[in-house]
Amino acid sequence: SRSINKKEKDDQFIIQSLENSSQSSNNPQFTALSNLNGIIVGQERNIMLKFCKNCSPLEGENIQGVISKGKGVKIHRLGCKYLLEADEKRIVDVRWDDEAINTSLRPVQLQVLCEDTPGVLANMSRAITTSGFNIGNVHLRKLSNGRGLARLEVMLKSLEDLENVIKRLRQEDGILEVTRR
């Protein structure tokens, strides 16, 4: 008989926990738990999970989970290329927990097409920081025809935060287009 390694044991534990919780969703222990990561997997809170770095899901977005080998459940935005490539047998239902104590800031990649003029970077920075958010990283590239391309990593919690930052950026002089990467 084949021996089971640690990653397979972890996977089996997660699957068993999800199966058990779906059979006893009125478990008082379940309702008493606080959720630190803001996600409910099946009927369980505080399952080991990670957020996909490629799609960086924010609270309020439609999400699904993928049981990853030995790493718990990885949370993806719907449409993420890694979710679309995942084995269907490993995909689990997840949702945002309205009772979560705290949702952490996550890096979100924005791409800004702008005019290549003095002060446009300061305008972008001001729009983000006056919205109450921090810029984690900036990469600028000069394009032809008097334009520039900025790739910004902004630390956000929710879809609402993202919408507010994009709206503020679009109001600034010299900003032509703002998209999430």
Side-chain angles (χ1 to χ4, degrees):
S1 104
R2 185 174 80 84
S3 66
I4 297 176
N5 68 30
K6 171 131 176 52
K7 288 183 179 183
E8 290 173 320
K9 283 182 185 176
D10 290 345
D11 291 350
Q12 288 175 354
F13 175 77
I14 291 169
I15 292 167
Q16 185 66 44
S17 294
L18 293 174
E19 287 172 356
N20 290 343
S21 72
S22 66
Q23 295 167 3
S24 60
S25 62
N26 293 328
N27 181 345
Q29 183 181 8
F30 164 74
T31 56
L33 286 174
S34 61
N35 187 357
L36 300 177
N37 56 37
I39 300 288
I40 297 174
V41 180
Q43 296 292 322
E44 291 290 322
R45 290 180 164 104
N46 295 325
I47 293 268
M48 182 172 70
L49 59 85
K50 289 187 175 195
F51 290 91
C52 175
K53 291 180 183 175
N54 179 65
C55 65
S56 198
L58 295 170
E59 182 181 351
E61 293 184 299
N62 294 323
I63 54 175
Q64 274 196 305
V66 177
I67 298 173
S68 58
K69 294 182 180 178
K71 297 180 182 176
V73 177
K74 189 169 271 193
I75 307 301
H76 298 268
R77 278 192 298 159
L78 292 186
C80 174
K81 70 178 185 175
Y82 295 108
L83 176 63
L84 297 174
E85 294 170 358
D87 180 353
E88 285 182 25
K89 296 174 191 162
R90 301 183 88 71
I91 295 175
V92 294
D93 289 331
V94 299
R95 67 183 187 279
W96 297 102
D97 185 358
D98 295 333
E99 298 175 17
I101 293 173
N102 176 354
T103 52
S104 58
L105 293 171
R106 279 188 273 293
V108 175
Q109 307 298 319
L110 298 178
Q111 187 165 286
V112 182
L113 180 64
C114 58
E115 295 173 358
D116 184 17
T117 57
V120 76
L121 178 59
N123 292 348
M124 285 187 260
S125 177
R126 184 176 40 258
I128 293 166
T129 58
T130 58
S131 296
F133 301 103
N134 195 26
I135 300 170
N137 194 358
V138 178
H139 183 273
L140 300 170
R141 199 170 91 213
K142 187 177 183 108
L143 303 175
S144 59
N145 68 7
R147 294 184 174 181
L149 184 66
R151 291 191 173 147
L152 306 164
E153 179 185 84
V154 183
M155 305 303 292
L156 304 172
K157 283 186 179 185
S158 68
L159 182 58
E160 182 181 350
D161 293 345
L162 174 64
E163 291 167 349
N164 289 337
V165 166
I166 288 175
K167 181 180 176 184
R168 291 289 304 267
L169 281 167
R170 287 180 175 154
Q171 293 171 347
E172 292 295 325
D173 290 338
I175 304 299
L176 305 171
E177 181 180 314
V178 182
T179 56
R180 182 178 183 178
R181 292 186 57 212

